[in-house]
Amino acid sequence: MTLSLFAALALTAAPAKPQPFTIQDQVSMRRISNPSASPDGKRIAFVLRSTDLEANKGRTDLWLVNADGTGLRQLTSSPESEAQPVWSPDGQGLYFLTSRGGSRQVFRLPLDGGEAQAVTKLPLDVGAFALSGDGKTLAVAMEVYPNCPTLECNTQRQKEKTQSKSTGQVYDKLFVRHWDTWANGKRSHLFVLPVDGSAAPRDVMAGMDADGPSKPFGGPEEFTFTPDGKGLVFTARDVGNSESWSTDLDLFLAPVDKAGTPKKLTEKNRATDTHPVFSPDGKTLAYLAMSRPGFEADRLRVVLRSWPEGKERVLAEPWDRSAGSLTWSPDGKSVLVTADDIGHHRAFSIDVASGQVTAFSGSGYAAEPQPLPDGRIAFLRDDLKSPADLFTVRADGSDLRQLTRVNEEAMSRLRFGDFEQFEFPGWNGETVRGYVVKPVDFDPKKKYPVAFLIHGGPQGSFGNHFHYRWNPQTYAGRGYAAVMVDFHGSTGYGQDFTDSIRGDWGGKPLEDLHKGLEAAVKRYSFLDGDKVCALGASYGGYMINWIAGQLPERFRCLVNHDGNLDERLAYFNTEELWFPEWEHGGTPWENPAGYTKHNPIDHVAKWKTPMLVIHGGQDFRVVETQGLSTFTVLQRRGIPSKFLHFPDENHWVVKPANSIHWHETVLDWLDQWTKTAAKKPVVAPTR
């Protein structure tokens, strides 16, 4: 790596003395993703995102580095973003997605010189793609009308809809909207076509009223060619009118060279089946599967299916972790996965013969492991003080080597807070863990105000991870200590721990949070227990509203991002109904007590704590009226409060300028209530 290359890309000149980390630094960090090892394992392509503050968006380019860390070079620099690098079988070129020419298509870049050339010139945008093992066939995902027999039909129908003076849309089933998008009659379908363009693309999901990949977060990991290239295995939720309350994703097999109805491979399992990947010898299909229908946070097990016979077995059944990022080792003797694990997100190797599980990534957050032919494994790694970079390691976890330092210049001018993990007896005396992040320029003789961060999910984790939305270093850089507790319901501590939150949203988690905060204040003398603000989003936002009614005297201030006020009403205006139905034990008319047991709206008469409420106008998971309702309560009761609304954001705040605005508003709110001699507010009586 040449330092001058990254220095030339620096957003600002390096100051003489490193400065505390800020939100401006956070949004400007380069983000590495999608590592892809060449067939010979000697080179690794990856995607690098930089932030264009003037355009208010991120843009991505393709980069290449040798597996020993030498030869780093940028491959693309088009104004349009590039994504999803896939090697040609001979290792001489990279296929990728780009919007060059105004439409998102598959391109190929020769690595021996020359310009990237379009491989597809389809009338519709390509959302994701896969390349067959022989390099002759592409599978591409495109948004189409399921009953349109041709692409021309789709373009004509879209033209007619655009030209129509009416904007009305008739719905006869759910989803009406999902995540941040209104349903428009289209589905993501998978098409196959020759790489050389000698035949027209064919919809292998023709007529299916389902999405492949699944929405809103499915990608190329959800479909793959069979070893002989004659079939395509893909993931889809094809459940008819029950789509919005079903987690029954299945694997399907569709023929590539002829029309035919896809065959469902996982008919017996009514829960999620996903992430198909074939072994190097083509004799085994590995995939991830849940066992309980309706539960989106059930444990994902690794299933091995003999191909094509279909005999199956679960690999490493006793291992109590939920697997992700599935891939095979080159010799087919093990599979590589990632999983939350005791406040970290580690990478593991699972022996196919014995089921023995070996962690090889160490501490921090590991992602997207890529096995190399020489036995080493490439993967992305970050932690609470370092953004992600590319590393390699031996399969036993030894000889860790860092290949990239994509933020080297930026890191040289920044200071971060140190961190450590702690544990305490939580609900029922069970061990619960959390993290404390010290303020930048920490002085053990001083007392510091506390930002108490509560994660969403609720099946999630605030672990050893450099997060780009909820990064405790933004608070540490402002002079706060950050405390994060992985309460009952969190992931990475065994499935029973995760399951324990069901039907108890305001019970065990609240006890863990309260006990965890007090344990941290007692253990760390630098924490000012009298100057604490609690912040949370999604389930964390719900918990902020619950805390307001249950612990009205404990916190100086609260911050609620996209959190529910009324769980009963939330059922009727959210989109993925399987979630509240599982968490609260059925529908509101079947089990009304499940929605009132821990419902914040029933305790607003006890609210006293100043609260900042934030909501996105495109959030269809927790709709904006929940935030408006919360703010209405606060204002009507005379409680100091503010409402920050982002009409163009969904459940997350992702646009750079909005992220900066979010953090500046939040930090100013914390400053107002913890860094001044602010008195506890007097709540005006209601009339």
Side-chain angles (χ1 to χ4, degrees), residues 106-122:
V106 180
F107 275 59
R108 183 182 186 277
L109 176 68
L111 295 181
D112 57 358
E115 293 294 323
Q117 300 294 324
V119 176
T120 61
K121 298 181 180 178
L122 300 167

Side-chain angles (χ1 to χ4, degrees), residues 452-505:
F452 188 54
L453 308 182
I454 304 173
H455 72 67
Q459 296 87 1
S461 173
F462 263 163
N464 191 3
H465 176 39
F466 197 88
H467 206 288
Y468 283 100
R469 293 190 309 279
W470 284 86
N471 192 325
Q473 293 291 353
T474 59
Y475 303 92
R478 187 77 162 237
Y480 289 88
V483 177
M484 305 173 290
V485 170
D486 270 355
F487 47 82
H488 275 77
S490 301
T491 53
Y493 306 91
Q495 193 61 45
D496 286 347
F497 193 88
T498 301
D499 291 348
S500 65
I501 199 172
R502 187 185 188 193
D504 197 27
W505 272 30

Side-chain angles (χ1 to χ4, degrees), residues 199-212:
R202 186 175 61 79
D203 186 354
V204 301
M205 298 174 63
M208 288 182 68
D209 192 13
D211 291 303

